[in-house]
Amino acid sequence: MVALPLLAEDVDGAVQEKTEARAAYIHGQRLAQQGDIDAAMQAIRHSYALYPAAGSLYALGLLHERVDEIAEAIRLYHRALRAPHCQALSKSR
């Protein structure tokens, strides 16, 4: 099988999405620090939609825990632990 080169537009788009996801995540953290948990959850969900990262799932779990939605928090923690890069880290130890 021959590997095809990535198009510059694909790489630029991926970098832009990751940058937007990071900005949304940071915005969500600030909202959480200000006590606006619903808006923080929305911002971090948006971040995850742009760039699915285990850290976003973990952050959502923490937010659900803050509003006593423990079952949802646990579900999100489990999803974060099953994320591909988390599994790769646990296998390398």
Side-chain angles (χ1 to χ4, degrees):
M1 183 168 8
V2 176
L4 298 175
L6 289 173
L7 297 175
E9 298 85 23
D10 294 339
V11 173
D12 291 343
V15 169
Q16 183 177 353
E17 283 183 355
K18 189 172 182 178
T19 301
E20 289 177 24
R22 181 172 168 75
Y25 183 87
I26 291 168
H27 181 63
Q29 287 181 321
R30 287 188 186 129
L31 289 167
Q33 289 172 349
Q34 296 168 1
D36 193 348
I37 303 304
D38 290 336
M41 286 182 187
Q42 184 178 2
I44 293 176
R45 280 190 199 102
H46 179 65
S47 171
Y48 184 79
L50 291 170
Y51 187 80
S56 295
L57 294 172
Y58 180 75
L60 283 170
L62 290 173
L63 292 170
H64 279 279
E65 195 171 337
R66 279 181 66 178
V67 295
D68 292 324
E69 295 173 351
I70 305 304
E72 181 64 9
I74 291 170
R75 188 184 73 76
L76 288 160
Y77 295 147
H78 281 279
R79 281 183 62 197
L81 290 171
R82 287 192 307 266
H85 76 276
C86 283
Q87 290 179 355
L89 288 174
S90 66
K91 290 178 184 176
S92 67
R93 292 183 181 172

